[in-house]
Amino acid sequence: MATISVCMIVKNEEAVLARCLDSLQGLYEELIIVDTGSVDRTKDIAGRYTNKVFDFSWTGSFSDARNFSFSKARCDYIYAADADEVIDEENRQRFMRLKEALLPEVEIVQMYYGNQLSQTSIYNFDTELRPKLYKRQRQFVWEEPIHEAVRLQPMIFDSDIVITHLPQGEHGSRDLEAFEGMLERGEEISQRLQDIYLRELYFVGQVHNLKKAHSYLEELCMSQEAESDAFQRAIALLCREAALTDNHKDLLKYGLKGAATRASSELCLELGSFFQKEGDYEEAIMWYYNAANETESLMALSASTSIPLEKMAECYDALGMEEEAAQCRERLLPEEEPLPGQEL
């Protein structure tokens, strides 16, 4: 049976840490908790579960802290846990069965991360597969009978284990501060982080966040092809900033740039919202229709589904068009989604 080291990084988690650790009892052979500067009872609580509690001076990088925690592990596999996660009894049993049957060639195990939509987040689905269990020491294997080469892609297994995310609050504002710090220091934002940054701005960004991102968003528009996702995301965010600051000149400027190329659902929503506020409901309906039917969402799935339909219904109500409003609301009826592990 595979042995498991649980590795965690924590800071001021006294409200949720015991709940998480209780749910993990019996699933691991080693528990490593790295504290990055708690000023509450987090370390005292951690000490009741393990004697492997380490201090780590915060560098501004979660990766640095994660790497430090992984360096302390000694078991076959490392399970990366967060303090605001819980594994219920059904999934504890699945985890135990996984430990007993895990083949040594598997290097990463993915698990379903659930309850993502309970808080404002950048995610479009309540559950998604995430890598959670990692083989501590990777073994290089030669493949192919001729022209042999070392296998570089890890062997990944998708499990049916569901981890429930129970955060105490949203982390978006914290993340935006980190991104803004990177911009102030002139650090490069990778393509992967760029996507996350733009989504964070869209979901939780306030006017001051959009203003701080303005130059970065304009640079994206200058450096990216107009058909690219990055260009269209930046355009939609610049339009949102313009709308929130009543800068009609910039709203027209960026709105036309986006509409003339490959408008996104998010951009159509911003334009529809502007005309709705102006009382031009017919024009607003046209843009909301485009958001729901003629374009694709690049940041929020709801930008092409529920939001434009709700807004169209509001506009039809304002025009006294009850039948059309009812048709929009009929399309809002939720469809039943399969649970993780169910056959599609």
Side-chain angles (χ1 to χ4, degrees), residues 177-331:
E177 288 180 6
F179 281 119
E180 288 161 4
M182 293 178 69
L183 292 178
E184 291 171 3
R185 294 188 297 271
E187 297 176 7
E188 182 180 355
I189 297 178
S190 67
Q191 186 171 348
R192 172 179 168 272
L193 286 183
Q194 175 194 104
D195 178 44
I196 295 174
Y197 182 29
L198 299 187
R199 288 174 184 271
E200 295 276 17
L201 283 170
Y202 186 80
F203 279 95
V204 300
Q206 303 298 311
V207 173
H208 66 277
N209 301 120
L210 291 166
K211 286 182 176 179
K212 289 180 179 179
H214 184 91
S215 295
Y216 177 72
L217 296 172
E218 282 202 321
E219 289 174 8
L220 277 182
C221 291
M222 294 291 291
S223 64
Q224 301 289 321
E225 294 290 334
E227 294 293 320
S228 71
D229 288 354
F231 178 93
Q232 293 298 335
R233 287 168 179 156
I235 283 289
L237 290 165
L238 287 167
C239 281
R240 171 168 289 187
E241 180 196 356
L244 291 174
T245 56
D246 292 322
N247 187 338
H248 294 176
K249 178 182 176 181
D250 275 3
L251 183 63
L252 179 65
K253 171 184 172 182
Y254 297 118
L256 287 175
K257 281 186 177 181
T261 52
R262 173 197 163 211
S264 66
S265 298
E266 288 85 355
L267 172 60
C268 292
L269 275 186
E270 295 302 328
L271 296 174
S273 178
F274 169 76
F275 286 110
Q276 184 178 3
K277 290 176 182 176
E278 292 291 306
D280 190 344
Y281 299 113
E282 290 90 349
E283 189 70 15
I285 288 171
M286 186 270 288
W287 286 108
Y288 289 142
Y289 179 88
N290 284 335
N293 299 285
E294 303 295 337
T295 57
E296 64 175 327
S297 56
L298 299 178
M299 290 179 283
L301 182 62
S302 58
S304 62
T305 54
S306 60
I307 296 177
L309 291 172
E310 290 170 355
K311 293 298 183 181
M312 284 174 67
E314 291 176 6
C315 292
Y316 280 126
D317 282 336
L319 293 170
M321 302 173 69
E322 297 179 0
E323 183 177 347
E324 288 80 358
Q327 290 174 354
C328 290
R329 292 192 171 99
E330 284 178 7
R331 290 178 60 187

Side-chain angles (χ1 to χ4, degrees), residues 73-85:
R74 294 295 177 266
C75 291
D76 300 330
Y77 286 85
I78 299 173
Y79 178 71
D82 289 327
D84 58 3
E85 299 171 358

Side-chain angles (χ1 to χ4, degrees), residues 77-145:
Y77 286 85
I78 299 173
Y79 178 71
D82 289 327
D84 58 3
E85 299 171 358
V86 170
I87 300 180
D88 63 25
E89 186 56 35
E90 178 182 359
N91 288 288
R92 279 172 47 80
Q93 295 303 316
R94 290 174 176 171
F95 203 124
M96 287 302 301
R97 291 195 294 271
L98 173 72
K99 282 187 67 176
E100 294 171 358
L102 193 56
L103 298 175
E105 57 264 32
V106 173
E107 295 166 313
I108 294 176
V109 176
Q110 296 201 118
M111 302 177 185
Y112 284 97
Y113 208 63
N115 199 42
Q116 294 191 128
L117 300 183
S118 64
Q119 300 281 331
T120 301
S121 71
I122 66 173
Y123 301 104
N124 288 310
F125 302 97
D126 203 45
T127 59
E128 68 165 359
L129 280 169
R130 287 190 183 182
K132 293 293 290 181
L133 189 65
Y134 305 85
K135 193 167 188 179
R136 184 173 64 86
Q137 290 184 319
R138 186 176 183 189
Q139 296 174 340
F140 289 100
V141 177
W142 290 88
E143 295 181 319
E144 308 297 353

